[in-house]
């Protein structure tokens, strides 16, 4: 398992939104969430918790194939050849509607039906 630190953490924390990609029987499926709604990244940085309002198609896809990717982009992250950086978080996901992880997100917001927990397996940046 990889941990979110360094430039990856900076990109995630400075992004406005995250694209959430899963794969279903009809091909790729995209969803999104405002980054401000994510629970703060833990010190371990091994999981990302995303509040789930609906995410029915994402949930169905993850039950079939738990692999997923998240795309974050931040224009004010410095890099060697300029400003702006994107990163992809590769991992496995599961949507919880009960239990401690779901309750933690429900105490922060009144609207989610649960939490999408992404366990990080790999990280990639997009620009040199």
């Amino acid at each position: 398992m990889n941990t979110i630190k360094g430039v990856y953490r900076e990109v995630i924390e400075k992004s406005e939104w995250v694209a959430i990609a899963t794969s279903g029987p009809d091909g790729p499926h995209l969803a999104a969430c405002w980054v401000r709604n994510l629970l703060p990244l833990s010190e371990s940085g091994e999981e990302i918790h995303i509040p789930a309002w609906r995410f029915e198609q994402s949930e169905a896809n993850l039950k079939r194939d738990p692999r997923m990717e998240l795309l974050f982009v931040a224009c004010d992250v410095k890099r060697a050849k300029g400003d702006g950086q994107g990163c992809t978080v590769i991992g496995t996901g599961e949507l919880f509607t009960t239990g401690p992880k779901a309750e933690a997100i429900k105490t922060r917001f009144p609207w989610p039906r649960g939490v999408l927990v992404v366990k990080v397996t790999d990280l990639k940046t997009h620009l040199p």
Side-chain angles (χ1 to χ4, degrees):
M1 187 174 305
N2 284 305
T3 60
I4 300 168
K5 56 187 174 184
V7 68
Y8 305 108
R9 183 175 287 270
E10 183 180 8
V11 170
I12 291 170
E13 290 176 347
K14 291 183 176 180
S15 295
E16 284 193 47
W17 58 275
V18 55
I20 303 162
T22 59
S23 182
D26 296 325
H29 173 75
L30 290 174
C33 181
W34 295 109
V35 170
R36 69 177 179 257
N37 291 343
L38 273 61
L39 284 183
L41 294 176
S42 66
E43 288 301 316
S44 71
E46 296 174 347
E47 290 184 346
I48 296 176
H49 294 193
I50 302 170
W53 170 253
R54 295 193 47 191
F55 287 7
E56 286 101 347
Q57 186 62 54
S58 297
E59 180 180 26
N61 290 349
L62 292 170
K63 285 181 179 176
R64 194 177 145 275
D65 180 353
R67 295 175 300 163
M68 63 181 306
E69 293 189 13
L70 306 176
L71 173 65
F72 295 90
V73 178
C75 62
D76 59 347
V77 173
K78 303 284 185 208
R79 57 186 169 81
K81 296 185 177 182
D83 293 337
Q85 184 58 277
C87 76
T88 298
V89 175
I90 301 164
T92 58
E94 184 175 357
L95 199 143
F96 295 92
T97 56
T98 60
K101 292 178 181 183
E103 293 311 312
I105 207 91
K106 291 176 183 180
T107 60
R108 184 164 177 201
F109 303 105
W111 48 264
R113 69 182 182 97
V115 62
L116 173 58
V117 176
V118 181
K119 293 181 182 176
V120 179
T121 58
D122 199 10
L123 299 153
K124 294 191 278 190
T125 56
H126 292 267
L127 299 169

